[in-house]
Amino acid sequence: MTALLADACARRVWLFDLDGTLVDSCPAHEAAFRQAIAEVAPDLLASFRYADHAGASTREVAVRLLGDTGEASRLAGLKQRLYRERAGAVAVFPGARRLLGHLVAGGRDAYLVTSGSRASVERVLAASSLNAYFRGVLTSDDVPASKPDPAFYAYACDHWGLDPGAAVVLEDSSHGVASAVGAGLPTLHVHVAEPAPGAVAVRDLEQLVSLLDPEVCGAG
């Protein structure tokens, strides 16, 4: 176990990304984007790669593709509507409930820091029954910045009055890792073999559950 993983076991505050981290929503996001692009800007469809944008807000992706225009706003709105139609079927990753339950039962604090819109996030949390685990939820609607901007996680710490020295971040995308690392937060990069710069790779959520076992980390 690396020094950062060992240190994470002792931290009382956990900041979680949602999409691709706790729930397997990336296929639904990609399908919604591709359907929206096919309607609004079909010439861009062949070159669109969702993996290049994972972790950024829908609005930010739309502006990257079409500039700060009315068509970008139309694309973002359509994509969000199409995604929300799929949100109820988004699967929770194995180990997510066990991990969150372990943290809460051990007196740790879990917060959600996501680039999703509040309406989409609330729909996924309700459908997956994950909302009860979090002391607070911050979405792209609440922050005047988007991942990978470090201001996203810096705002989260300020907003909730959190001590960065007591916190650890769990992310799945390079955009999210860049935001967290840029804000000076130790960051675990889950579902990857090679982590983004500044983060430590974690195979999956079940690995974290095993690392947080009292026999490994001490009583939580």
Side-chain angles (χ1 to χ4, degrees):
M1 183 163 56
T2 68
L4 180 55
L5 282 174
D7 178 63
C9 289
R11 297 203 170 218
R12 295 189 58 82
V13 177
W14 285 62
L15 304 176
F16 288 88
D17 175 54
L18 178 64
D19 295 302
T21 300
L22 295 173
V23 298
D24 190 13
S25 56
C26 292
H29 277 295
E30 180 170 8
F33 260 122
R34 296 189 70 84
Q35 186 175 343
I37 291 169
E39 179 172 329
V40 176
D43 291 347
L44 299 179
L45 190 58
S47 61
F48 177 75
R49 293 183 69 254
Y50 176 73
D52 294 338
H53 306 285
S57 69
T58 294
R59 172 63 184 171
E60 177 68 20
V61 176
V63 169
R64 289 178 193 169
L65 294 175
L66 293 170
D68 193 3
T69 64
E71 286 297 275
S73 296
R74 180 180 167 221
L75 175 63
L78 178 58
K79 182 269 173 181
Q80 288 174 334
R81 179 176 64 79
L82 292 169
Y83 173 73
R84 289 166 194 162
E85 293 174 357
R86 298 171 165 85
V90 167
V92 178
F93 276 119
R97 292 190 179 90
R98 290 182 62 210
L99 174 59
L100 290 165
H102 184 104
L103 293 172
V104 172
R108 319 276 180 111
D109 294 331
Y111 295 86
L112 194 66
V113 183
T114 170
S115 292
S117 66
R118 182 157 290 274
S120 295
V121 169
E122 288 178 347
R123 185 163 298 189
V124 171
L125 290 178
S128 62
S129 300
L130 293 178
N131 42 354
Y133 293 109
F134 299 108
R135 291 179 61 86
V137 175
L138 198 70
T139 74
S140 63
D141 293 342
D142 309 313
V143 182
S146 178
K147 299 175 186 179
D149 192 328
F152 204 105
Y153 272 101
Y155 180 90
C157 291
D158 290 342
H159 178 70
W160 289 313
L162 304 178
D163 174 10
V168 64
V169 172
L170 189 63
E171 276 279 358
D172 77 296
S173 71
S174 58
H175 283 92
V177 168
S179 178
V181 170
L185 296 167
T187 305
L188 306 180
H189 195 172
V190 72
H191 307 309
V192 296
E194 293 294 330
V200 169
V202 177
R203 182 184 67 249
D204 53 31
L205 301 180
E206 293 285 8
Q207 182 186 8
L208 277 179
V209 172
S210 68
L211 292 175
L212 283 164
D213 186 277
E215 293 182 3
V216 177
C217 301

